[in-house]
Amino acid sequence: MHRYLSIWFPALLADRALRLRPELKDTPFIIAIPQRGRLMVKAASLPAIKKGIVQGMVVADAKALLPELKLFHYKPGAEEKLLTRLAEWCLRFTPVVAVDLPDGILLDISGCPHLWGGEQSYLDNILRKLKASGFQTGSGIADTVGGAWAIARFESAHSIVAPGQQDAALRSLPPAALRLELPVLERLQKLGFSHIGSFINLPATVLRRRFGPELLTRIGQALGHLPEVPEPLQPAAVFREQLHCTEPVHTRVAIDIALETLLQRLCDRLQRAGRGLRSAVFKIDLVDGGVQQIFIGTNRPVRNAVHLLKLFEPKITMIAPGMGIEVFTLEAPAVEALSGRQEAIWSTLGGGDTGTELAGLLDRIAGRMGDTAIKRYLPAEHYWPERSVTPGGLFEKAETSWRSDRPRPVYLLPRPEPVTVAAPVPDYPPMLFRYRGKVHNIAKADGPERIEQEWWLEQNQVRDYYVVEDAEGARYWLFRSGHYGAEKPQWFLHGFFA
């Protein structure tokens, strides 16, 4: 006999918001969603509910009722993402867990509760942990999916229906407990059927003619006359390889052999799964109980054992084996899809695949100098120079081209630095400027290049840029902010040329 546990999260989105921002515990807030041209209340916190704010209310009405109401915007897919994480967490209690959108999860607990001392202890254990994590819950255990779902949402207490008793347990519940569509519920209400027991024993032909086949299907599923199998969650594969030593080892040669063996096993698994790793952790368990680990990361999915071994090599010296190593573990916590085409390219490394070779080179540089040592920038469509570049990924494509019709410095300061200048006449380039206490006499100058303000972002003065060269031959990018007139314009240094 199957047994199912349905867990209902009546305030899923509000609980999620409180987990992210616990300081809002006593603050009335809502999560709003745009619907049919209006902003509606998707979820509300408990203080807001106590003030009369309910789901489905127009946000404007809610704000009129409670002006201090705090508003957050709904992120599409937030429920599914959170329920999936909760379902993955529940895999420790049973191997079969399903996401029950929009506000619940379903567990097939057949054969599991006795490991926790019975169904009540099993249920208490799960709910206690969920409550400690900040989630409000309703729950029900029954022989069927429909029965457990109904008990979780329409019984006030966390109930367990004894095996074979779901018929009696469902009779006092409202028709909505059968997961019926709104038109069917409206017809049942119109005819005065206020609870399931008032119509469950009517002839099937009458129910089908009056309410359609859906009602009979739901009754059959709730009572167990019709099968209903939840779609189980497929947990993500864990890419981990382990090597146990028969005797403790502590030499560099042994560590190299263990790492090479584990890398080859892991890459073979990644090959079969069509994946490549983006990061890897090499852990060692010492005889004295200590644990040491080293990390590597890659710029794109990789499953080439030779390349990965080169990334690990500089860090192996950080391992201190002490009295000896008992267990080696290699794990890839971050993996991504990788086509088979790249695998063929790896085998011909040096044959002209500059992208792959460049990625390998950058991986090795990052491994030696740190992940922050390498940066790449892409052009952005802005007039203001400091906004005209944006950080980008190694293989990210630029949405616009680099501007090449005007000279631009090889090093642009993130923020222009003020300088003092001496100019012969207004609107001329300066004769000299002082930067960080040093006076630079200008030998050559070119400009100005006027760059207008981006008024749709902020209000600022126009900039007149000059490319200047001092007496020592160093070239700088200076600009004057504003026009000569009522206010004295300011000068700034913004970049350095080669």
Side-chain angles (χ1 to χ4, degrees), residues 21-311:
R21 300 183 63 178
E23 69 274 14
L24 295 176
K25 180 181 178 183
D26 299 322
T27 304
F29 68 85
I30 59 171
I31 298 168
I33 182 173
Q35 287 181 343
R36 298 187 296 275
R38 295 188 300 178
L39 209 55
M40 311 293 287
V41 176
K42 176 76 173 175
S45 68
L46 188 58
I49 293 173
K50 288 180 179 177
K51 296 290 184 181
I53 310 299
V54 297
Q55 183 181 358
M57 180 181 284
V58 178
V59 169
D61 296 340
K63 293 284 283 184
L65 189 65
L66 194 63
E68 67 270 24
L69 190 66
K70 200 170 182 60
L71 184 147
F72 298 102
H73 290 281
Y74 170 70
K75 292 183 178 179
E79 302 104 320
E80 184 173 5
K81 191 175 179 181
L82 181 56
L83 288 173
T84 300
R85 287 209 302 269
L86 288 168
E88 289 174 345
W89 176 81
C90 285
L91 286 171
R92 68 195 63 194
F93 297 102
T94 172
V96 182
V97 183
V99 173
D100 188 13
L101 288 173
D103 52 12
I105 54 178
L106 187 70
L107 288 70
D108 184 344
I109 63 172
S110 308
C112 298
H114 72 281
L115 299 173
W116 277 263
E119 289 184 344
Q120 188 63 58
S121 175
Y122 178 82
L123 180 61
D124 292 344
N125 197 306
I126 297 174
L127 298 184
R128 186 170 57 251
K129 288 182 169 62
L130 288 173
K131 184 178 180 181
S133 298
F135 290 102
Q136 304 171 58
T137 57
S139 67
I141 294 179
D143 290 349
T144 62
V145 172
W149 189 95
I151 296 299
R153 288 158 177 79
F154 291 91
E155 281 285 354
S156 57
H158 300 289
S159 301
I160 298 176
V161 179
Q165 298 301 312
Q166 58 267 17
D167 189 341
L170 291 172
R171 285 180 177 272
S172 61
L173 302 182
L178 291 175
R179 299 173 291 171
L180 298 170
E181 298 292 337
L182 185 59
V184 179
L185 291 175
E186 289 176 345
R187 288 200 294 273
L188 286 167
Q189 184 180 13
K190 189 175 180 179
L191 293 175
F193 293 121
S194 59
H195 55 278
I196 295 174
S198 60
F199 60 84
I200 194 171
N201 288 332
L202 291 177
T205 53
V206 174
L207 294 176
R208 182 181 292 108
R209 186 173 63 252
R210 287 275 186 180
F211 306 104
E214 180 200 354
L215 178 58
L216 291 176
T217 300
R218 288 305 193 189
I219 291 175
Q221 290 174 337
L223 298 181
H225 301 154
L226 293 175
E228 183 178 12
V229 180
E231 184 176 351
L233 181 75
Q234 297 296 330
V238 177
F239 292 95
R240 180 192 296 121
E241 294 293 333
Q242 215 165 49
L243 189 64
H244 293 263
C245 305
T246 53
E247 295 289 339
V249 298
H250 47 76
T251 65
R252 170 64 187 265
V253 174
I255 296 173
D256 288 343
I257 293 173
L259 178 58
E260 192 173 348
T261 304
L262 291 175
L263 277 172
Q264 193 57 57
R265 287 185 192 172
L266 185 65
C267 289
D268 289 344
R269 279 193 62 196
L270 291 168
Q271 168 79 31
R272 291 192 294 273
R275 317 284 285 181
L277 69 79
R278 291 296 308 275
S279 65
V281 185
F282 182 50
K283 300 178 184 177
I284 60 169
D285 291 90
L286 303 174
V287 174
D288 60 5
V291 178
Q292 296 179 15
Q293 55 189 20
I294 53 178
F295 304 85
I296 62 165
T298 62
N299 284 291
R300 65 177 181 179
V302 175
R303 55 172 178 250
N304 183 280
V306 176
H307 176 66
L308 296 173
L309 184 60
K310 287 181 180 177
L311 299 183

Side-chain angles (χ1 to χ4, degrees), residues 2 18 123 141 146-147 172 342 444:
H2 280 282
L18 285 175
L123 180 61
I141 294 179
S172 61
Q342 187 189 6
K444 300 176 183 176

Side-chain angles (χ1 to χ4, degrees), residues 33 79 85 101 121 125 139 142 191 275 277 289 307 313 318 328-329 347 352 356 361 386 409 452 477 484 487:
I33 182 173
E79 302 104 320
R85 287 209 302 269
L101 288 173
S121 175
N125 197 306
S139 67
L191 293 175
R275 317 284 285 181
L277 69 79
H307 176 66
E313 278 177 349
M318 300 166 60
F328 293 94
T329 305
S347 62
T356 302
L361 173 64
E386 61 267 34
E452 295 286 348
W477 208 30
Y484 280 103
E487 295 183 359

